[in-house]
């Protein structure tokens, strides 16, 4: 978890590689569907472009199907999911069904202003349609309203690992590894 631009996608790839599991990024799956012009992509695009969340039913079904794939059987890392309380509940149900358990929830903490700069830079290199100043603001707002409350939920469950997301990418990766290596795996 972490606000837009915290470095979730970048770090997710390193963590997944470290543990030999797939990184499942809901944002990446949506973007792939948008570029392929699938019905899911067409549905998701109008929400993404506005910085809004794609409706829970659509997102939940997509994740449910993805974690049922054989490569996720040994375990998986979720990047950008869950983002709402309803998704937390849904995920609990999904993993009860697959026999998995959540080992840890990593939150990358960053300074919001610094992150806006990062995102505007990304807009130039990656050309993401949702990296304009106005949409970034909306994405930050909705993160605060819908997703930040999940931090307390996972803290109460004893799963939360807060990592300082500022600094060099490799430094942040090392902080995450140090914290995760200390977590017993289910
Ligand atoms: P991300 O790449 O994680 O920043 O996601 C990009 C966009 O995809 C978000 O701004 C949302 O519009 C959508 N999205 C990704 N994950 C979710 C989710 N768990 N729930 C709802 N919408 C999502």
């Amino acid at each position: 978890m972490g606000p837009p631009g915290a470095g979730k996608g970048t770090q997710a790839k390193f963590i997944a590689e470290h543990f030999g599991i797939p990184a499942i990024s809901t944002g990446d799956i949506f973007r792939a569907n948008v570029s392929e012009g699938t019905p899911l992509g067409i549905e998701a695009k109008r929400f993404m472009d506005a910085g809004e969340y794609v409706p829970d039913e659509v997102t939940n079904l997509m994740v449910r199907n993805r974690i049922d794939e054989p490569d996720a059987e040994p375990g998986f890392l979720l990047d950008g999911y869950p983002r709402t309380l309803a998704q937390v509940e849904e995920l609990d149900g999904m993993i009860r069904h697959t026999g998995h358990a959540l080992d840890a929830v990593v939150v990358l903490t960053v300074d919001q202003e610094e992150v806006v700069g990062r995102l505007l830079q990304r807009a130039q290199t990656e050309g993401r349609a949702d990296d304009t100043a106005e949409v970034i603001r909306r994405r930050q707002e909705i993160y605060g309203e819908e997703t930040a409350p999940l931090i307390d939920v996972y803290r109460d469950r004893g799963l939360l690992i807060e990592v300082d997301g500022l600094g060099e990418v490799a430094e942040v990766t090392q902080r995450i590894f140090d914290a995760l290596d200390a977590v017993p795996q289910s």
Side-chain angles (χ1 to χ4, degrees), residues 56-77:
D56 284 336
E57 315 79 68
V58 177
T59 310
N60 288 335
L61 182 63
M62 187 176 84
V63 173
R64 182 180 291 275
N65 290 334
R66 178 63 188 86
I67 67 175
D68 270 340
E69 298 280 324
D71 67 331
E73 210 276 317
F76 48 85
L77 171 78

Side-chain angles (χ1 to χ4, degrees), residues 26-27 30-31 48 52-54 59 80-81 83 87 128:
T26 43
F30 282 134
R31 277 184 290 278
M48 295 171 78
E52 303 294 333
Y53 285 171
V54 177
T59 310
Y81 182 93
R83 264 174 150 112
Q87 292 179 12
R128 267 179 60 163

Side-chain angles (χ1 to χ4, degrees), residues 137-153:
R137 207 166 318 282
R138 180 61 193 140
R139 286 163 59 210
Q140 287 184 324
E141 229 170 56
I142 196 168
Y143 178 85
E145 288 163 12
E146 301 266 353
T147 307
L150 273 51
I151 293 176
D152 282 341
V153 171

